[in-house]
Amino acid sequence: GLRIHEYLYFQVLSPGDIRYIFTATPAKDFGGVFNTRYDQIHLVPADPPEACGVLNNGVFIQDQIALVERGGCSFLSKTRVIQEHGGRAVIIADNAYDNDSFYIEMIQDSTRRIADIPALFLLGRDGYMIRRSLEQHGLPWAVISIPVNVTSIPTYEMMQPPWTFW
Protein backbone atom coordinates (compact mmCIF):
# COMPACT_ATOMS: atom_id res chain seq x y z
CA GLY A 1 0.00 0.00 0.00
CA LEU A 2 0.86 3.67 -0.03
CA ARG A 3 2.67 5.36 2.80
CA ILE A 4 1.86 8.77 4.26
CA HIS A 5 2.98 11.80 2.19
CA GLU A 6 3.10 9.84 -1.03
CA TYR A 7 1.21 10.87 -4.10
CA LEU A 8 -1.23 8.81 -6.08
CA TYR A 9 -1.91 9.62 -9.73
CA PHE A 10 -4.97 9.11 -11.90
CA GLN A 11 -5.68 9.91 -15.52
CA VAL A 12 -8.92 11.22 -16.96
CA LEU A 13 -9.58 9.31 -20.20
CA SER A 14 -12.75 11.18 -21.13
CA PRO A 15 -13.95 13.78 -21.73
CA GLY A 16 -10.97 14.52 -23.95
CA ASP A 17 -10.58 18.20 -23.07
CA ILE A 18 -9.58 17.22 -19.53
CA ARG A 19 -7.47 14.18 -20.48
CA TYR A 20 -4.66 14.81 -18.01
CA ILE A 21 -2.81 13.00 -15.24
CA PHE A 22 -3.84 14.39 -11.85
CA THR A 23 -2.06 14.16 -8.50
CA ALA A 24 -3.87 13.24 -5.29
CA THR A 25 -2.77 12.46 -1.76
CA PRO A 26 -4.17 9.58 0.33
CA ALA A 27 -5.84 10.17 3.69
CA LYS A 28 -3.31 10.11 6.51
CA ASP A 29 -4.91 7.76 9.02
CA PHE A 30 -8.13 6.30 7.64
CA GLY A 31 -9.41 4.53 4.57
CA GLY A 32 -8.12 1.68 2.47
CA VAL A 33 -5.45 1.43 -0.21
CA PHE A 34 -5.71 0.68 -3.91
CA ASN A 35 -5.05 -3.04 -4.27
CA THR A 36 -6.51 -3.02 -7.78
CA ARG A 37 -5.73 -0.91 -10.82
CA TYR A 38 -8.84 0.30 -12.60
CA ASP A 39 -8.13 0.92 -16.29
CA GLN A 40 -11.58 2.39 -16.96
CA ILE A 41 -13.83 3.32 -14.08
CA HIS A 42 -16.35 6.13 -13.68
CA LEU A 43 -15.50 9.19 -11.61
CA VAL A 44 -18.96 10.32 -10.53
CA PRO A 45 -19.48 13.78 -8.99
CA ALA A 46 -21.59 13.33 -5.86
CA ASP A 47 -25.01 15.02 -5.69
CA PRO A 48 -25.04 16.94 -3.40
CA PRO A 49 -21.33 17.73 -3.93
CA GLU A 50 -20.37 17.69 -0.23
CA ALA A 51 -21.72 14.12 0.27
CA CYS A 52 -22.57 14.57 3.94
CA GLY A 53 -25.76 12.46 3.79
CA VAL A 54 -27.98 10.57 1.38
CA LEU A 55 -26.94 11.06 -2.24
CA ASN A 56 -29.41 11.81 -5.03
CA ASN A 57 -27.20 9.90 -7.48
CA GLY A 58 -26.05 7.13 -5.15
CA VAL A 59 -27.06 4.44 -7.65
CA PHE A 60 -24.41 5.77 -10.07
CA ILE A 61 -21.70 5.63 -7.39
CA GLN A 62 -22.18 1.89 -6.81
CA ASP A 63 -18.91 0.14 -7.89
CA GLN A 64 -17.44 3.45 -9.12
CA ILE A 65 -15.33 6.27 -7.66
CA ALA A 66 -16.98 9.40 -6.28
CA LEU A 67 -15.77 12.96 -6.73
CA VAL A 68 -16.76 14.89 -3.61
CA GLU A 69 -16.26 18.49 -2.51
CA ARG A 70 -14.64 19.46 0.78
CA GLY A 71 -16.85 21.12 3.42
CA GLY A 72 -19.99 20.48 5.46
CA CYS A 73 -18.71 17.44 7.38
CA SER A 74 -15.48 15.55 8.10
CA PHE A 75 -13.40 13.79 5.46
CA LEU A 76 -14.17 10.51 7.23
CA SER A 77 -17.93 11.18 7.15
CA LYS A 78 -17.76 11.79 3.38
CA THR A 79 -15.75 8.61 2.88
CA ARG A 80 -18.28 6.58 4.87
CA VAL A 81 -21.22 8.02 2.87
CA ILE A 82 -19.54 6.96 -0.38
CA GLN A 83 -18.70 3.53 1.09
CA GLU A 84 -22.33 3.08 2.20
CA HIS A 85 -23.44 3.84 -1.38
CA GLY A 86 -21.12 1.09 -2.67
CA GLY A 87 -18.34 3.33 -4.00
CA ARG A 88 -14.91 1.78 -4.50
CA ALA A 89 -13.06 4.98 -3.50
CA VAL A 90 -13.60 8.69 -2.93
CA ILE A 91 -11.65 11.65 -4.26
CA ILE A 92 -12.31 14.74 -2.15
CA ALA A 93 -11.51 18.00 -3.94
CA ASP A 94 -10.73 21.16 -2.02
CA ASN A 95 -13.62 23.64 -2.03
CA ALA A 96 -11.14 26.48 -2.66
CA TYR A 97 -11.38 26.47 -6.47
CA ASP A 98 -8.26 28.58 -6.82
CA ASN A 99 -6.12 26.10 -4.83
CA ASP A 100 -3.61 24.75 -7.34
CA SER A 101 -0.73 23.86 -5.04
CA PHE A 102 -1.65 23.23 -1.36
CA TYR A 103 -2.53 19.68 -0.30
CA ILE A 104 -4.64 19.27 2.83
CA GLU A 105 -3.76 16.41 5.17
CA MET A 106 -6.97 14.41 5.63
CA ILE A 107 -7.06 12.97 9.14
CA GLN A 108 -9.43 10.87 11.24
CA ASP A 109 -12.19 12.74 13.05
CA SER A 110 -12.84 12.14 16.77
CA THR A 111 -15.65 9.59 16.25
CA ARG A 112 -13.46 6.44 16.10
CA ARG A 113 -15.42 5.25 13.07
CA ILE A 114 -13.57 3.48 10.27
CA ALA A 115 -13.73 3.50 6.49
CA ASP A 116 -12.44 0.70 4.28
CA ILE A 117 -12.34 2.39 0.87
CA PRO A 118 -9.44 4.59 -0.29
CA ALA A 119 -9.88 8.33 0.29
CA LEU A 120 -7.80 10.81 -1.71
CA PHE A 121 -7.42 14.59 -1.58
CA LEU A 122 -7.42 16.56 -4.84
CA LEU A 123 -6.47 20.19 -5.39
CA GLY A 124 -9.45 22.53 -5.67
CA ARG A 125 -8.52 23.79 -9.14
CA ASP A 126 -8.31 20.20 -10.46
CA GLY A 127 -11.68 19.21 -9.00
CA TYR A 128 -13.29 22.37 -10.35
CA MET A 129 -11.89 21.82 -13.86
CA ILE A 130 -13.09 18.20 -13.94
CA ARG A 131 -16.62 19.15 -12.79
CA ARG A 132 -16.71 22.12 -15.21
CA SER A 133 -15.76 19.90 -18.15
CA LEU A 134 -18.48 17.38 -17.26
CA GLU A 135 -21.07 20.18 -17.01
CA GLN A 136 -20.00 21.68 -20.35
CA HIS A 137 -20.36 18.29 -22.05
CA GLY A 138 -23.57 17.37 -20.20
CA LEU A 139 -21.93 14.20 -18.87
CA PRO A 140 -22.83 12.45 -15.58
CA TRP A 141 -19.25 11.19 -15.03
CA ALA A 142 -15.69 11.07 -16.31
CA VAL A 143 -13.86 7.87 -17.22
CA ILE A 144 -10.56 7.52 -15.37
CA SER A 145 -7.67 5.14 -14.89
CA ILE A 146 -6.42 4.84 -11.30
CA PRO A 147 -3.78 4.46 -9.95
CA VAL A 148 -1.35 5.41 -12.72
CA ASN A 149 2.34 4.56 -12.39
CA VAL A 150 3.94 7.79 -13.58
CA THR A 151 7.48 6.40 -13.24
CA SER A 152 6.84 4.33 -16.37
CA ILE A 153 5.77 7.35 -18.45
CA PRO A 154 8.48 9.39 -20.21
CA THR A 155 8.44 13.00 -18.98
CA TYR A 156 7.69 14.38 -22.43
CA GLU A 157 4.54 12.22 -22.59
CA MET A 158 3.21 13.29 -19.19
CA MET A 159 -0.06 15.05 -19.91
CA GLN A 160 -0.39 17.21 -16.81
CA PRO A 161 -3.00 19.93 -16.40
CA PRO A 162 -1.72 23.17 -17.94
CA TRP A 163 -2.76 25.13 -14.81
CA THR A 164 -0.64 22.97 -12.47
CA PHE A 165 3.13 23.16 -11.92
CA TRP A 166 4.79 19.90 -10.91
Side-chain angles (χ1 to χ4, degrees):
L2 291 166
R3 290 186 300 280
I4 297 170
H5 302 303
E6 289 195 12
Y7 295 109
L8 186 136
Y9 302 92
F10 68 94
Q11 181 173 20
V12 173
L13 304 174
S14 82
D17 65 333
I18 198 88
R19 191 179 169 107
Y20 299 115
I21 294 175
F22 293 90
T23 305
T25 56
K28 182 177 178 181
D29 57 4
F30 69 90
V33 296
F34 279 95
N35 294 319
T36 304
R37 174 169 153 60
Y38 301 101
D39 289 320
Q40 290 190 4
I41 192 165
H42 294 161
L43 178 63
V44 183
D47 177 21
E50 291 180 343
C52 291
V54 176
L55 302 177
N56 299 324
N57 66 339
V59 65
F60 296 113
I61 287 172
Q62 177 79 35
D63 293 324
Q64 306 302 323
I65 297 176
L67 177 61
V68 170
E69 196 169 294
R70 180 181 179 201
C73 61
S74 71
F75 293 120
L76 177 60
S77 292
K78 294 170 185 302
T79 304
R80 288 182 52 89
V81 166
I82 298 307
Q83 180 174 310
E84 289 162 9
H85 282 84
R88 294 192 184 200
V90 60
I91 297 175
I92 302 171
D94 197 350
N95 54 2
Y97 298 154
D98 59 346
N99 178 9
D100 60 3
S101 60
F102 184 70
Y103 289 90
I104 304 291
E105 197 167 73
M106 296 193 309
I107 59 172
Q108 170 75 268
D109 60 20
S110 59
T111 62
R112 299 182 188 231
R113 297 172 298 166
I114 60 167
D116 300 317
I117 64 171
L120 305 171
F121 182 82
L122 182 65
L123 295 173
R125 172 78 45 90
D126 292 346
Y128 169 77
M129 296 300 278
I130 291 169
R131 283 190 303 272
R132 190 180 85 168
S133 175
L134 294 176
E135 289 169 10
Q136 288 174 340
H137 293 286
L139 297 171
W141 53 68
V143 178
I144 68 169
S145 180
I146 189 170
V148 171
N149 181 356
V150 296
T151 61
S152 65
I153 302 172
T155 306
Y156 64 88
E157 288 183 15
M158 287 278 286
M159 289 295 296
Q160 57 209 35
W163 57 86
T164 302
F165 299 103
W166 286 31

